[in-house]
């Protein structure tokens, strides 16, 4: 009933023990997305989780430092911890994010602060059988509400961790070489899509050049290299 995947953390280190991250996905969840794509005439080559796609776009592949990635969507907040360029913890908190950004002292803000602090305590104290975790010193924000006034300040004040809006183009290109036509505000919604595109480029043996935007319309057809879905929401997906 389950599909397992694994990733060896720091495989180049010569140690008697190694740290291995194991990911588990329900087969029926994968089958649901596969059928959706097949019905649209699309043949997915492989699947990538939303969390991994975000990490691909926001964190340098050679950066071993830990990051807390927070994606703010309309009805939920995705929380991801990345260390050694590998997603090591992920969770989703359902909430009215618009209400949160309008009132940083309201109930939603209080619940979010409590949940994040519990997660950080777990992260720092969960050392049994694994290498000791590094201290998280940076929060990366993405999603449609990431750049709203006061959002970064809220997380920095309540988590005591430097917080800033992430650059979704970090691993795609330099702004000195190319400036995308899409606005910064809209790019905050594209972290997953950019991460999928980067993974697709890597799968083909290298970079995919400068990104260019084109209208693909509401219809979907042909082949894709990477897809990512949102657990519990079979009608929302990302393709590259």
């Amino acid at each position: 009933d389950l599909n397992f995947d694994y990733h060896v953390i720091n495989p180049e280190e010569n140690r008697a023990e190694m740290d291995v991250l194991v990911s588990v996905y329900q087969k029926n969840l994968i089958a649901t997305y596969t059928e959706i794509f097949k019905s649209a005439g699309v043949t997915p080559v492989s699947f990538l989780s939303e969390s991994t796609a975000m990490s691909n776009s926001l964190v340098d592949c050679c950066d071993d430092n830990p990051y807390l990635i927070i994606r703010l969507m309309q009805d939920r907040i995705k929380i991801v911890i990345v260390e050694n360029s590998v997603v090591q913890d992920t969770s989703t908190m359902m909430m009215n994010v618009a209400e949160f950004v309008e009132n940083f002292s309201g109930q939603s803000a209080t619940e979010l602060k409590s949940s994040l602090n519990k997660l950080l305590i777990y992260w720092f104290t969960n050392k049994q059988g694994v290498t000791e975790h590094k201290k998280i010193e940076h929060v990366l924000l993405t999603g449609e509400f990431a750049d709203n006034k006061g959002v970064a300040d809220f997380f920095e004040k309540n988590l005591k961790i430097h917080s800033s809006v992430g650059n979704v183009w970090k691993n795609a290109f330099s702004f000195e070489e190319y400036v995308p036509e899409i606005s910064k505000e809209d790019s905050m919604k594209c972290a997953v899509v950019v991460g999928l595109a980067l993974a697709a480029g890597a799968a083909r043996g290298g970079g995919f050049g400068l990104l260019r935007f084109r209208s693909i319309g509401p219809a979907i057809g042909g082949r894709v290299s990477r897809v990512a879905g949102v657990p519990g929401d079979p009608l929302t997906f990302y393709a590259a």
Side-chain angles (χ1 to χ4, degrees):
D1 295 333
L2 300 172
N3 276 357
F4 290 82
D5 192 12
Y6 71 92
H7 185 98
V8 179
I9 303 174
N10 292 332
E12 71 282 356
E13 292 185 0
N14 185 17
R15 297 187 298 158
E17 298 179 355
M18 67 173 60
D19 296 331
V20 179
L21 182 72
V22 179
S23 301
V24 184
Y25 301 93
Q26 294 181 343
K27 286 186 176 180
N28 61 356
L29 179 65
I30 298 174
T32 298
Y33 283 110
T34 300
E35 289 303 316
I36 291 173
F37 279 103
K38 284 184 177 180
S39 66
V42 176
T43 303
V45 177
S46 64
F47 288 87
L48 198 67
S49 72
E50 174 190 9
S51 302
T52 301
M54 284 195 297
S55 174
N56 284 351
S57 65
L58 296 170
V59 180
D60 192 296
C61 63
C62 300
D63 192 341
D64 293 336
N65 293 309
Y67 292 89
L68 177 62
I69 299 176
I70 301 177
R71 184 185 185 205
L72 298 99
M73 295 169 277
Q74 291 187 359
D75 62 348
R76 70 193 69 192
I77 292 181
K78 190 74 175 183
I79 304 165
V80 180
I81 295 179
V82 178
E83 187 178 43
N84 295 312
S85 301
V86 178
V87 172
Q88 304 207 21
D89 191 275
T90 179
S91 59
T92 302
M93 183 174 179
M94 305 302 298
M95 65 181 297
N96 185 331
V97 181
E99 179 181 289
F100 157 66
V101 299
E102 290 175 1
N103 183 7
F104 292 122
S105 59
Q107 181 177 353
S108 296
T110 301
E111 292 176 356
L112 177 58
K113 174 185 174 182
S114 175
S115 296
L116 287 172
N117 279 308
K118 288 178 182 178
L119 173 62
L120 292 175
I121 291 173
Y122 168 78
W123 174 254
F124 292 135
T125 58
N126 179 33
K127 303 174 183 178
Q128 184 176 358
V130 297
T131 304
E132 182 175 345
H133 294 304
K134 301 176 185 177
K135 180 181 178 181
I136 297 176
E137 297 184 343
H138 205 134
V139 174
L140 297 176
L141 304 174
T142 190
E144 57 191 284
F145 293 95
D147 207 21
N148 279 44
K149 183 179 179 180
V151 171
D153 290 340
F154 169 84
F155 290 109
E156 186 158 330
K157 176 182 177 181
N158 289 285
L159 301 181
K160 304 297 188 293
I161 302 175
H162 176 66
S163 304
S164 63
V165 175
N167 175 14
V168 302
W169 310 114
K170 179 180 180 65
N171 296 311
F173 49 74
S174 168
F175 290 134
E176 295 180 356
E177 300 173 350
Y178 175 70
V179 178
E181 298 174 17
I182 189 172
S183 67
K184 178 183 178 182
E185 180 182 358
D186 287 337
S187 73
M188 292 297 97
K189 306 173 186 178
C190 300
V192 173
V193 176
V194 174
L196 288 169
L198 287 165
R204 295 189 180 100
F208 54 90
L210 298 179
L211 293 179
R212 292 293 186 271
F213 296 93
R214 63 185 178 87
S215 173
I216 59 175
I220 299 176
R223 292 179 177 271
V224 297
S225 298
R226 290 291 189 275
V227 295
V230 179
D233 186 1
L235 297 181
T236 300
F237 57 86
Y238 306 89

